[in-house]
Amino acid sequence: MTDRNWFITGINSGFGREMTEQLLARGDRVAGTVRTPGSVDDLVARYGEALRVALADVTDADRLRAAADDAAAAFGRIDVVVVNAGYGLFGAAEEFTDEQIEHQIDTNLLGSIRTVRAALPHLRAQGGGRIIQISSVAGLTANAGASIYHASKWGVEGFAEALAREVATFGIEVTLVEPGGARTSFAHSGLRLAEPMSAYDGTPAAFVRALRGGNVPIPGDPVRMVTRVIDSVDERPAPARLVLGSDAYAGITVQLQSRLDQLLPQRSSAATTDFTDAESPEGVH
């Protein structure tokens, strides 16, 4: 199915830019947000009214609501919302400033929540729609040197999974996208590193310093990844999760199995903290 209307945050680079180009080329319409004026003027010139651009940062709830309202008014409906805008902050937790940590959470986690809340009234009113949350392999894994980034993406995962259960009754479906490494601008403009502390030299957290020189292999093809996300909108029911990349699949399965291995032996001991049948807890009737 084509001729869909999409609302996408962060369309000036990375997955957002690639997705916008693919969608417009196939005849869909896109309302997208950017933080830099003029950053998608080439697409506006090529596609005209099929592309609406709003200057909005995901840290600004009022601008996000205005952008979503404009998209719904201009297109008549919003079929798909893609929560895409974000960036990666890497380093040991102790190496960051408070401001860096707050901005990471404000952008990746709170920005995602703000975007969804801006679009939900329109999706409810029209009787359905699809929300695609761009998460990361980092939303289900944990590695030294990425603690704050993981915090933001794990938060996104919990929010989106619970959200799916809240809005299903309105015909709204939610998909979490978990890509591995992709050869996009994320590795440059979308990546921020902490100022290194010598105390962490030679520790597991220091691996992220190789990112400064681009010395980390990146297997993912962003064009194929974006195409897979777009194609998933035709799937019914919507996939709850969409894993992109062999590295993502391997990393997620290993860490999920590790957690199960840690939990299963505790089945009996966990139950020892319950009330017994003979006990009557105060205040419970």
Side-chain angles (χ1 to χ4, degrees):
M1 175 182 174
T2 57
D3 300 322
R4 285 193 175 102
N5 301 319
W6 300 65
F7 179 66
I8 307 172
T9 57
I11 66 169
N12 57 291
S13 63
F15 281 155
R17 170 82 185 208
E18 177 62 35
M19 184 174 291
T20 298
E21 291 184 0
Q22 289 193 30
L23 292 171
L24 292 173
R26 78 175 199 168
D28 287 12
R29 296 190 291 183
V30 175
T33 69
V34 299
R35 292 188 303 122
T36 305
S39 55
V40 291
D41 281 356
D42 59 319
L43 296 181
V44 173
R46 192 184 318 164
Y47 293 104
E49 294 183 357
L51 175 61
R52 298 186 70 82
V53 182
L55 189 63
D57 192 299
V58 293
T59 61
D60 189 327
D62 290 339
R63 283 186 177 271
L64 277 175
R65 280 193 294 268
D69 292 349
D70 177 76
F75 293 161
R77 66 177 285 122
I78 299 173
D79 298 300
V80 187
V81 177
V82 182
V83 189
N84 168 71
Y87 70 96
L89 183 66
F90 293 94
E94 191 181 1
E95 293 177 326
F96 299 116
T97 66
D98 291 342
E99 291 74 21
Q100 285 177 308
I101 293 172
E102 290 165 5
H103 192 265
Q104 175 78 130
I105 301 301
D106 197 15
T107 301
N108 288 8
L109 176 54
L110 298 183
S112 293
I113 294 171
R114 292 185 191 104
T115 301
V116 169
R117 283 168 48 81
L120 270 180
H122 302 291
L123 302 187
R124 279 195 302 100
Q126 69 195 26
R130 179 74 63 89
I131 296 172
I132 295 175
Q133 170 67 63
I134 305 298
S135 180
S136 167
V137 59
L140 289 173
T141 61
N143 295 287
S147 54
I148 304 305
Y149 183 59
H150 284 304
S152 71
K153 289 301 184 180
W154 280 47
V156 160
E157 294 267 338
F159 170 72
E161 190 163 330
L163 173 75
R165 301 176 187 184
E166 292 177 1
V167 300
T169 188
F170 305 116
I172 302 168
E173 295 180 293
V174 180
T175 295
L176 273 159
V177 179
E178 286 143 353
R183 298 176 191 178
T184 69
S185 59
F186 180 88
H188 302 287
S189 60
L191 181 65
R192 302 178 193 178
L193 302 180
E195 188 65 31
M197 295 170 57
S198 60
Y200 288 93
D201 291 349
T203 71
F207 94 93
V208 297
R209 300 175 191 180
L211 296 173
R212 292 185 187 274
N215 298 323
V216 177
I218 300 176
D221 179 347
V223 175
R224 290 176 174 151
M225 287 177 160
V226 165
T227 300
R228 178 72 184 94
V229 175
I230 293 172
D231 289 346
S232 75
V233 178
D234 289 321
E235 297 179 25
R236 292 291 185 277
R241 281 184 164 82
L242 200 63
V243 179
L244 305 178
S246 58
D247 59 335
Y249 182 84
I252 290 171
T253 54
V254 165
Q255 294 217 13
L256 290 181
Q257 185 60 56
S258 174
R259 285 180 206 139
L260 278 175
D261 292 343
Q262 296 165 20
L263 289 173
L264 292 176
Q266 299 184 55
R267 180 178 180 181
S268 296
S269 62
T272 64
T273 62
D274 295 346
F275 284 108
T276 66
D277 292 338
E279 294 172 323
S280 177
E282 290 185 21
V284 177
H285 303 284

